[in-house]
Amino acid sequence: MRILIAEDDPVIAIGLVKRLTALGHEPLGPATDGQHAIELARADPPDLYLFDVDMPRVDGLEAARRLTEEGLRRPIVVITGVDDPTLVERSIATGVSAYLTKPIDDRALDAGIRLAATRHAEFRALEAEVTRAQQALEDRKLIEQAKGILISATGISEPEAFRRIQRTARDRNLKLVEVARRIVDQRALLEGRPDER
C-alpha cells in the first residue's frame, strides 16, 4: 500500500518510513506539515494517509479534511503525542479510521493501517450501495411518470401501460428507464415546455 506520511519531527518521520517499509508498504513523503502533505497528495495520490495531528501551518486533521473535500478521500490513520480529549471527537468528525498514540509499536501501526483500509473499503461499498438505491428510486419515479402519461393519453390501465413500456424496451433492446425517459421527453416536447425531471 502506498502511504503518505506527514510528521514534523524528522526522527519520528524517518522511523515511520522504516517501519512502513518493513511492513511491506511504500512510504511517500514524509511531508513536514499538513500543507506539504496536501501538496504531495495532490501531485501523487496515495492509498492511505498517516498523519501526525499536531503539525505547523496545517495540522493533520485539517489536511485530511481538505483532501477529502477535494475528492482525495483516503483511509486516514492519525498519530499523536498530545493528550487532548477533544482530539478523538475531531478525528471522528474528520473521518479518521484509526487513532494511534505515540510511542507507536509495529503491531499497533500495522493494526491501525489494516483497520483504516478495511473501514474505508466498507464505507465506499456502502456509498456505492446508497448511490445504486438512489438511482433505482429515480428510475422507478421516471417509469411511474411515463406510465401516468400513457394512462392519461390512451385511457389504458396501469398494468397495460407498464406492459407497453416493457414490450417497447424488449423490442428496441432498451432499458425500461430509457423508454420511460423518451415518453416523458416526448410529452414535454409536444407540450412545448421544459422536461419535468
Side-chain angles (χ1 to χ4, degrees), residues 16 49 53 67 83 88 92 109 139 143 147 154 165 190 192 194:
L16 288 171
Y49 301 128
V53 174
L67 288 166
D83 185 17
V88 174
I92 291 169
L109 181 59
D139 291 353
I143 291 168
K147 283 190 331 189
T154 63
I165 294 171
L190 291 173

Side-chain angles (χ1 to χ4, degrees), residues 1-193:
M1 192 178 308
R2 300 172 71 248
I3 300 176
L4 176 58
I5 301 167
E7 169 60 66
D8 61 324
D9 183 320
V11 174
I12 295 173
I14 290 169
L16 288 171
V17 167
K18 288 180 181 177
R19 286 174 162 186
L20 290 176
T21 302
L23 290 170
H25 301 293
E26 179 185 343
L28 305 176
T32 53
D33 59 47
Q35 185 58 46
H36 186 205
I38 291 168
E39 292 163 8
L40 290 175
R42 285 174 182 157
D44 186 15
D47 300 315
L48 183 140
Y49 301 128
L50 177 62
F51 289 175
D52 183 21
V53 174
D54 189 28
M55 293 187 291
R57 292 204 299 167
V58 176
D59 73 26
L61 295 177
E62 178 62 18
R65 185 191 67 75
R66 289 185 193 176
L67 288 166
T68 296
E69 286 180 356
E70 291 181 20
L72 292 169
R73 183 175 58 196
R74 301 291 188 272
I76 306 162
V77 177
V78 295
I79 55 177
T80 184
V82 178
D83 185 17
D84 179 356
T86 64
L87 272 182
V88 174
E89 284 81 25
R90 281 184 60 213
S91 296
I92 291 169
T94 306
V96 167
S97 303
Y99 183 96
L100 304 172
T101 55
K102 295 175 185 175
I104 303 162
D105 64 33
D106 289 348
R107 282 181 26 190
L109 181 59
D110 186 45
I113 290 168
R114 288 172 185 257
L115 178 64
T118 300
R119 283 184 176 168
H120 187 73
E122 289 169 352
F123 183 75
R124 295 292 295 257
L126 285 173
E127 271 187 331
E129 191 175 316
V130 167
T131 299
R132 283 191 301 273
Q134 288 172 334
Q135 186 60 55
L137 180 61
E138 290 303 313
D139 291 353
R140 188 73 211 155
K141 286 180 183 177
L142 193 60
I143 291 168
E144 291 299 318
Q145 187 178 4
K147 283 190 331 189
I149 292 168
L150 288 176
I151 291 166
S152 66
T154 63
I156 60 176
S157 68
E158 181 182 354
E160 180 55 30
F162 187 63
R163 280 193 291 274
R164 282 193 186 182
I165 294 171
Q166 284 180 313
R167 271 196 310 270
T168 302
R170 185 184 61 241
D171 293 347
R172 297 184 183 181
N173 198 26
L174 297 170
K175 293 180 179 177
L176 288 176
V177 70
E178 293 170 339
V179 173
R181 184 172 291 112
R182 289 178 182 188
I183 292 168
V184 171
D185 289 346
Q186 286 177 4
R187 179 180 129 193
L189 179 66
L190 291 173
E191 294 178 359
R193 56 190 169 72

